[in-house]
């Protein structure tokens, strides 16, 4: 396989993992979400950090159950093992919060997640 072919295959794998991540989170399907996270996944966001699959799912589940009403995806850019997803985090008490998520995928599993958004509306 050519280098370009390998990058294309990795890009497709990364896109599939990122899609499953967001679909599972939005639908609160924690068992499906578990299928795309590496056992030692590392999550760093403005509201906290999580190390390992159980902590990561617990954090996402806590956010989904406490404040999230929906996720509206705008765009996703994927190249090789990296995906950047721009979305609005919807809550019951704030206007939609613009958010970006970077995910890194190895062997079909998300190993690293970084999330950036302005949390001030949550504390107003």
């Amino acid at each position: 396989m050519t280098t370009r072919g390998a990058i294309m295959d990795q890009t497709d794998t990364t896109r599939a993992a990122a899609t499953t991540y967001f679909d599972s989170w939005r639908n609160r399907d924690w068992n499906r979400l578990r299928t795309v996270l590496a056992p030692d996944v590392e999550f760093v966001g403005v509201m906290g950090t999580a190390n390992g699959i159980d902590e990561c799912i617990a954090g996402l589940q806590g956010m989904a159950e406490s404040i999230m009403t929906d996720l509206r995806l705008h765009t996703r850019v994927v190249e090789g093992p990296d995906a950047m997803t721009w979305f609005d985090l919807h809550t019951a008490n704030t206007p939609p919060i613009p958010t970006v998520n970077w995910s890194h995928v190895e062997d079909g599993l998300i190993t690293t997640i970084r999330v950036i958004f302005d949390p001030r509306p949550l504390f107003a």
Side-chain angles (χ1 to χ4, degrees), residues 9-19 76 78-83 103-106 108 110:
D9 287 347
Q10 176 65 55
T11 296
D12 291 341
T13 299
T14 300
R15 182 176 290 109
T19 298
R76 177 173 294 128
V78 182
E79 185 172 338
D82 298 302
S103 298
H104 182 77
V105 175
E106 296 176 14
I110 298 171

Side-chain angles (χ1 to χ4, degrees), residues 12-40:
D12 291 341
T13 299
T14 300
R15 182 176 290 109
T19 298
T20 298
Y21 172 90
F22 279 95
D23 288 349
S24 300
W25 185 22
R26 178 189 293 126
N27 295 316
R28 295 160 169 80
D29 186 345
W30 312 118
N31 289 328
R32 184 171 179 228
L33 178 60
R34 188 174 286 279
T35 68
V36 294
L37 296 177
D40 59 347

Side-chain angles (χ1 to χ4, degrees), residues 3 13 25 36 39 52-53 64 68 90 98:
T3 301
T13 299
W25 185 22
V36 294
I53 194 168
M68 184 182 91
H90 286 254

